[in-house]
Amino acid sequence: MATNLAGRGTDIKLGGSPDALARRICGSEATEEELKAAREKTKDEWRRNYEEVKALGGLYILGTERHESRRIDNQLRGRSGRQGDPGTSRFYVSFDDTLLRLFARDNLKAIVGRLGMNTGEPIEHGMVSRVIESAQKRVEERNFDIRKRLLEYDDVLNEQRNFIYSQRDEILVDQNIIARAINACNEYVDFCIEQNPPAKNGERNVSALHQSLLDTIGLDYTPDKDDASLPADDLGIKIKDSIKAIIDGKVAIVGPEVFSNFIRQIYLRQIDTRWQNHLEELEDLRDSVSLRSYAQKNPLVEYKLEGYDIFDKMIDQIKTSVAKTLIRVQIRIEGPTRPVNAPRKVMETHRESSSFSNMAARQQQVARESANAGATSSIQVVRSTPKVGRNDPCPCGSGKKYKNCCGRNQGV
């Protein structure tokens, strides 16, 4: 409040500011030398004004209410009495002000009424000042608890932010990012094997394991007959070797550098997208977790526990998406494209009369291909069957006229 009023550390000069008085004489566009000369001319005038205000008691600070913080009131009081100048401050407070109405004792009005004070009469008593100061202390304690609680909430997000940013920085400079992605796949292989333990007969449900790997990381693992009786470690090694073989085959096609850059882009895209969604989820959780205090639960503890659960879920989603992309991506090498003006090989095929209806379309196609290829010699198509009139019976044996049967498709 005081900072907004006069600026931190600003002295309100008694008798006015010498610079303001000089600028009023010279104008706002005066040079430094002109201002210096004007200050010398107005020095005596300013000194007279200064002594006059000083003799009257200096700067008088009048407050119409008390702030919730005593620090703000002290800053406002400190505008007067600076640099050895005299000054006075006085505050007027109403019993209907928010500070006294919410935080002072309820029987304050009754106590003052028993003192015999009349309506509109100013009350100057040490008890009232102590009540106001006590109310300000209660407000300050409440605001301190609020700031402390906000800081504790921010600490949860700050820890998660530091972790996710450190992981992102590691991915940017990781020279062996393919191994990192393979390890992410291997983690889910171990997880799926743990979720499908052997039965009492010692055999494992490999069909359920296959479906679990397919749903989790998209691995279409085809189990062998003896996989049901393999120990968990041996089965895990076998599946992990198959994953490594799949990835090595893709790396061999495009090269390690290209494939590493591809994985790095997948990682960064997943981290950036899911981190933004995670921030929105934490914001919604922070807005709703306060209602759990009605169930006798600490909102901060609930926020920490559920916030870390959401964060762990986000990390798992990032790893799952990378593993799925790594396994399911298909690499195709495009062959050399044919030049536009390259000659085409045209092959003419004659069929039986049952396919007579497609002959006109083939003729049009041959003519278009010959024109596009820029052939120097024209291609002559020799009819192998007699021409059928529009009203003749259709050669396909339907009994209809040619124009109403196969000839209709040729636009005849």
Side-chain angles (χ1 to χ4, degrees):
M1 178 178 178
T3 302
N4 296 335
L5 175 67
R8 185 178 298 276
T10 300
D11 294 334
I12 301 177
K13 300 293 184 181
L14 302 183
S17 173
D19 293 336
L21 186 59
R23 289 185 180 277
R24 187 172 57 188
I25 296 176
C26 298
S28 59
E29 298 180 356
T31 62
E32 187 63 28
E33 295 180 356
E34 293 175 346
L35 289 175
K36 186 177 179 180
R39 279 194 293 266
E40 290 295 331
K41 291 181 180 180
T42 59
K43 185 176 181 180
D44 294 337
E45 180 183 355
W46 173 82
R47 175 61 63 178
R48 289 194 301 270
N49 295 336
Y50 170 78
E51 295 297 338
E52 182 181 357
V53 175
K54 185 177 179 179
L56 294 174
L59 182 63
Y60 189 88
I61 301 296
L62 177 63
T64 58
E65 62 179 350
R66 294 289 289 271
H67 196 270
E68 292 181 353
S69 174
R70 291 172 294 172
R71 176 179 58 85
I72 303 299
D73 289 341
N74 292 334
Q75 286 182 356
L76 187 57
R77 285 193 181 101
R79 297 306 97 192
S80 66
R82 300 178 68 87
Q83 302 295 329
D85 294 336
T88 307
S89 64
R90 178 178 290 269
F91 285 82
Y92 291 87
V93 183
S94 171
F95 283 119
D96 294 328
D97 286 349
T98 304
L99 179 65
L100 295 179
R101 183 167 48 85
L102 297 179
F103 298 99
R105 291 183 297 180
D106 297 335
N107 58 348
L108 180 61
K109 279 189 176 182
I111 295 175
V112 175
R114 287 195 293 267
L115 295 177
M117 305 298 296
N118 297 324
T119 304
E121 201 175 309
I123 303 173
E124 295 182 0
H125 198 279
M127 181 193 67
V128 178
S129 300
R130 289 193 297 270
V131 169
I132 295 174
E133 185 176 358
S134 176
Q136 287 178 318
K137 288 182 178 179
R138 295 177 61 183
V139 176
E140 291 172 358
E141 292 175 357
R142 188 198 65 169
N143 293 337
F144 176 78
D145 292 337
I146 292 175
R147 290 193 299 269
K148 182 181 177 182
R149 183 59 57 91
L150 290 176
L151 182 60
E152 292 174 346
Y153 277 103
D154 291 339
D155 287 341
V156 177
L157 180 59
N158 191 42
E159 291 179 7
Q160 298 179 4
R161 181 187 295 110
N162 291 337
F163 177 80
I164 201 70
Y165 281 6
S166 63
Q167 293 296 310
R168 194 179 190 278
D169 293 339
E170 290 180 7
I171 291 172
L172 286 172
V173 298
D174 193 355
Q175 300 298 325
N176 197 13
I177 196 170
I178 297 178
R180 177 192 287 262
I182 293 176
N183 290 334
C185 299
N186 295 340
E187 290 180 6
Y188 287 101
V189 171
D190 295 334
F191 172 77
C192 293
I193 293 177
E194 291 177 0
Q195 296 299 316
N196 294 273
K200 294 182 178 180
N201 58 0
E203 293 188 354
R204 194 184 311 270
N205 189 351
V206 291
S207 298
L209 177 62
H210 168 263
Q211 188 63 37
S212 179
L213 290 171
L214 186 62
D215 296 338
T216 306
I217 58 176
L219 178 63
D220 193 6
Y221 161 71
T222 303
D224 297 332
K225 295 181 179 179
D226 57 344
D227 288 351
S229 58
L230 285 178
D233 294 340
D234 296 340
L235 181 59
I237 292 174
K238 183 178 180 180
I239 299 176
K240 293 175 184 178
D241 290 341
S242 64
I243 292 177
K244 190 174 186 304
I246 293 173
I247 297 175
D248 289 343
K250 298 175 182 179
V251 173
I253 297 175
V254 297
E257 183 178 358
V258 175
F259 201 73
S260 297
N261 292 333
F262 168 74
I263 297 177
R264 185 173 289 107
Q265 292 297 327
I266 295 299
Y267 259 120
L268 297 178
R269 187 182 302 115
Q270 288 294 325
I271 290 175
D272 295 343
T273 303
R274 297 190 182 276
W275 175 247
Q276 294 175 6
N277 297 334
H278 178 70
L279 293 178
E280 294 179 358
E281 291 184 13
L282 285 185
E283 188 68 24
D284 295 338
L285 176 63
R286 187 169 178 174
D287 294 338
S288 62
V289 76
S290 58
L291 299 176
R292 301 186 186 183
S293 59
Y294 294 104
Q296 305 300 321
K297 295 181 179 180
N298 190 338
L300 178 60
V301 175
E302 294 293 315
Y303 178 79
K304 288 181 178 180
L305 295 177
E306 192 163 343
Y308 283 117
D309 290 341
I310 297 175
F311 183 74
D312 292 339
K313 181 181 178 181
M314 180 196 67
I315 297 297
D316 291 338
Q317 290 175 347
I318 293 174
K319 291 183 179 180
T320 304
S321 300
V322 173
K324 281 185 177 181
T325 305
L326 195 65
I327 293 175
R328 291 184 175 182
V329 64
Q330 297 181 0
I331 301 176
R332 295 188 180 94
I333 303 298
E334 295 289 342
T337 58
R338 182 186 59 80
V340 177
N341 297 326
R344 301 182 181 182
K345 182 178 180 181
V346 181
M347 181 175 59
E348 180 68 19
T349 305
H350 298 279
R351 299 182 181 178
E352 298 178 354
S353 59
S354 59
S355 61
F356 183 84
S357 60
N358 296 326
M359 182 177 295
R362 288 201 302 271
Q363 293 176 358
Q364 296 176 1
Q365 181 180 357
V366 170
R368 286 196 301 268
E369 291 177 351
S370 300
N372 294 334
T376 56
S377 59
S378 60
I379 300 177
Q380 183 179 2
V381 179
V382 180
R383 188 184 302 278
S384 59
T385 56
K387 182 177 180 181
V388 181
R390 297 178 69 252
N391 295 320
D392 294 340
C394 187
C396 68
S398 63
K400 299 180 181 180
K401 293 183 179 181
Y402 177 67
K403 66 179 181 180
N404 294 329
C405 189
C406 297
R408 181 174 54 188
N409 298 329
Q410 308 305 322
V412 179

